[in-house]
């Protein structure tokens, strides 16, 4: 081992869902939105000129901050934007979690939290979800260095109410509480009304799922202006120009078209309901989802085998070989046709499994 090797900052990185490239694939593994973004986004992209790339973009991201703060009826200095909410969350971890006390987040949640904690040498604990995969609020009453709650939680898809989040805030007034609302637009309850009351609340959201713009990398957070200022100071200490010119422009355009946005959400929620019903008829347990995915298991089926079977049919869903959830699948909501193909193949697999059992 070279002497310098011991000083390398090592970390087990987050493993993103695979991005296979097959013409006929049905991709239900990374919670992307199957529908295109607002039509105005396409117009902007078509009008883009190579001239725009010569100059630096606006480091303050003012245009996007302005439309977002107006949309959510907040002050301009209450919004921070970044390169996807992953960038926003990483910046928040770096900015706010500098205590020797452990930060807290559930054992089953977005798998990036412990990666950032390790990367930044932030101590952390992961209180276990209860047997129904619900967050136990009492676990967050003890002394800690900060709290991170994804609501709705991923990959469980379950959303807790405003009263639950407020209870966590009431018990954690001396640390920053981050509520990751990556999926909140799909029928969840946002903690936004609590911003007025709790100056230690930070809410993150993203354009990747509900606004169909995962490829543009746009995320943001909302909070007390002192928190936003602190995050900006950290951002300007690493990379001032996080958002490129084009992401800023198309982000603004997406927020402007609220009618299109809401119609898209309704479509996904409707498909979610019909897919959940069909899966339940096949004997699956399906969590009550407030997201654009379903978290499912089956008492008599090997879900990892189903995952592998679907793969051979070029239908990609997500499976984790980790404790407690190894017989679960996370299935993103695609178009009606994609979900029909997924259900047809799943039905096929269920029938094959039942025949195998009856032969034995
Ligand atoms: C997808 C996701 C994010 C990050 O998404 P970005 O594309 O980086 O905005 C953050 N949190 C959760 C829980 C997610 O599922």
């Amino acid at each position: 081992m070279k002497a310098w090797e011991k000083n390398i900052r090592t970390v087990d990185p987050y493993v993103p869902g695979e991005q296979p490239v097959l013409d006929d694939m049905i991709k239900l593994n990374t919670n992307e939105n199957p529908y295109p973004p607002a039509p105005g986004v396409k117009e902007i992209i078509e009008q883009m000129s190579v001239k725009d790339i010569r100059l630096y973009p606006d480091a303050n991201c003012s245009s996007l901050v302005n439309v977002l703060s107006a949309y959510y009826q907040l002050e301009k200095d209450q919004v921070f934007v970044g390169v996807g909410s992953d960038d926003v969350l990483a910046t928040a971890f770096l900015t706010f979690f500098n205590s020797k006390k452990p930060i807290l987040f559930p054992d089953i949640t977005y798998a990036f939290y412990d990666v950032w904690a390790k990367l930044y040498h932030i101590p952390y604990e992961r209180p276990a979800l209860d047997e129904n995969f619900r967050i136990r609020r009492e676990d967050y009453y003890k002394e800690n260095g900060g709290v991170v709650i994804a609501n709705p939680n991923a990959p469980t898809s379950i959303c807790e109410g405003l009263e639950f989040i407020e209870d966590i805030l009431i018990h954690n007034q001396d640390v920053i509480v981050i509520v990751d609302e990556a999926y909140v637009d799909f029928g969840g309850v946002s903690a936004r009304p609590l911003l007025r009351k709790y100056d230690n609340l930070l809410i993150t959201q993203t354009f990747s799922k509900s606004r169909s713009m995962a490829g543009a990398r746009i995320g943001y957070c909302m909070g007390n202006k002192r928190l936003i200022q602190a995050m900006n100071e950290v951002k300007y200490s690493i990379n001032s120009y996080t958002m490129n010119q084009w992401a800023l422009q198309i982000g603004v355009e997406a927020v402007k078209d609220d009618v299109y946005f809401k119609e898209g959400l309704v479509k996904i929620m409707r498909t979610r309901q019909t897919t959940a019903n069909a899966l339940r008829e096949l004997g699956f347990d399906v969590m009550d989802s407030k997201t654009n995915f379903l978290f499912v298991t089956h008492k008599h089926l090997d879900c990892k085998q189903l995952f592998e079977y679907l793969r051979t049919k070029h239908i990609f869903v997500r499976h984790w070989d980790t404790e407690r959830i190894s017989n679960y699948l996370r299935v993103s909501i695609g178009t009606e046709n994609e979900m029909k193909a997924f259900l047809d193949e799943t039905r096929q697999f269920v029938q094959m499994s039942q025949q195998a059992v009856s032969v034995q």
Side-chain angles (χ1 to χ4, degrees):
M1 194 180 182
K2 304 260 191 199
W4 46 261
E5 281 187 67
K6 66 175 190 299
N7 294 327
I8 291 176
R9 187 177 289 261
T10 53
V11 62
D12 286 330
Y14 175 75
V15 184
E18 61 182 325
Q19 297 287 6
V21 188
L22 299 166
D23 286 340
D24 62 342
M25 70 173 173
I26 296 181
K27 198 170 172 309
L28 309 174
N29 70 331
T30 52
N31 298 342
E32 288 140 328
N33 196 312
Y35 300 109
V41 170
K42 183 162 184 268
E43 266 170 53
I44 296 277
I45 290 172
E46 283 166 356
Q47 288 161 15
M48 278 173 181
S49 158
V50 75
K51 281 205 308 275
D52 296 336
I53 213 168
R54 194 174 58 79
L55 303 179
Y56 279 107
D58 169 22
N60 298 318
C61 308
S62 306
S63 55
L64 189 52
V65 165
N66 291 353
V67 294
L68 285 169
S69 55
Y71 186 78
Y72 291 113
Q73 294 166 320
L74 296 167
E75 299 297 324
K76 288 173 184 155
D77 52 11
Q78 287 187 278
V79 176
F80 174 94
V81 303
V83 188
S85 53
D86 285 342
D87 178 43
V88 175
L89 284 160
T91 305
F93 272 53
L94 186 58
T95 309
F96 301 119
F97 299 152
N98 295 291
S99 145
K100 298 248 182 318
K101 293 173 198 155
I103 63 167
L104 306 177
F105 47 83
D107 62 339
I108 299 168
T109 189
Y110 189 39
F112 228 135
Y113 303 150
D114 58 353
V115 175
W116 289 315
K118 283 183 205 147
L119 178 67
Y120 295 138
H121 302 167
I122 302 163
Y124 65 96
E125 283 172 19
R126 302 188 311 167
L129 297 183
D130 73 12
E131 64 283 4
N132 300 316
F133 288 159
R134 304 294 288 263
I135 301 167
R136 276 190 285 235
R137 59 177 81 192
E138 308 79 34
D139 291 344
Y140 298 82
Y141 291 174
K142 62 178 175 186
E143 237 187 307
N144 62 67
V147 174
V148 188
I149 301 284
N151 197 45
N153 196 10
T156 66
S157 76
I158 298 169
C159 188
E160 301 297 344
L162 207 54
E163 179 273 330
F164 179 97
I165 298 296
E166 182 156 21
D167 185 61
I168 300 272
L169 283 158
I170 287 168
H171 287 88
N172 289 281
Q173 307 208 23
D174 297 334
V175 295
I176 301 302
V177 174
I178 298 178
V179 181
D180 178 351
E181 296 188 347
Y183 298 102
V184 76
D185 296 324
F186 300 103
V189 185
S190 176
R192 226 176 327 105
L194 300 175
L195 284 173
R196 259 175 279 123
K197 229 162 134 186
Y198 299 92
D199 58 9
N200 59 326
L201 167 63
L202 191 81
I203 299 170
T204 64
Q205 294 190 2
T206 176
F207 283 51
S208 297
K209 283 106 185 196
S210 55
R211 294 190 182 275
S212 308
M213 292 169 75
R217 310 305 302 129
I218 307 172
Y220 54 101
C221 67
M222 303 170 268
N224 174 277
K225 66 177 186 187
R226 179 72 192 88
L227 304 190
I228 300 304
Q229 183 196 348
M231 287 180 71
N232 271 313
E233 280 162 14
V234 168
K235 166 188 139 166
Y236 280 98
S237 307
I238 298 177
N239 175 13
S240 324
Y241 303 107
T242 50
M243 306 296 289
N244 71 64
Q245 176 64 30
W246 294 330
L248 290 173
Q249 276 175 265
I250 60 179
V252 167
E253 211 52 39
V255 180
K256 280 191 199 158
D257 198 341
D258 206 38
V259 172
Y260 180 88
F261 175 55
K262 300 256 165 73
E263 283 171 357
L265 299 176
V266 169
K267 271 198 288 190
I268 297 278
M269 289 190 277
R270 210 182 287 140
T271 309
R272 176 177 76 199
Q273 191 57 52
T274 53
T275 308
N277 292 347
L279 285 168
R280 287 184 183 120
E281 272 171 33
L282 290 172
F284 285 87
D285 288 325
V286 183
M287 306 249 142
D288 183 21
S289 171
K290 291 284 187 278
T291 64
N292 67 337
F293 60 85
L294 295 172
F295 197 52
V296 307
T297 188
H298 198 294
K299 283 190 187 66
H300 311 298
L301 285 180
D302 184 330
C303 286
K304 187 176 181 187
Q305 272 177 17
L306 170 58
F307 162 76
E308 279 158 2
Y309 171 80
L310 290 170
R311 249 180 97 91
T312 65
K313 306 291 174 186
H314 292 180
I315 298 172
F316 296 86
V317 299
R318 193 92 197 255
H319 170 263
W320 289 270
D321 255 324
T322 52
E323 250 178 276
R324 297 187 75 188
I325 59 169
S326 58
N327 202 43
Y328 282 78
L329 296 180
R330 189 192 70 186
V331 183
S332 311
I333 301 300
T335 61
E336 290 282 345
N337 281 340
E338 287 174 328
M339 299 325 280
K340 187 175 174 305
F342 158 76
L343 286 167
D344 287 346
E345 289 299 347
T346 300
R347 198 170 294 118
Q348 193 71 33
F349 178 85
V350 171
Q351 278 163 8
M352 284 177 343
S353 306
Q354 279 164 353
Q355 278 158 10
V357 170
S358 59
V359 167
Q360 276 170 12

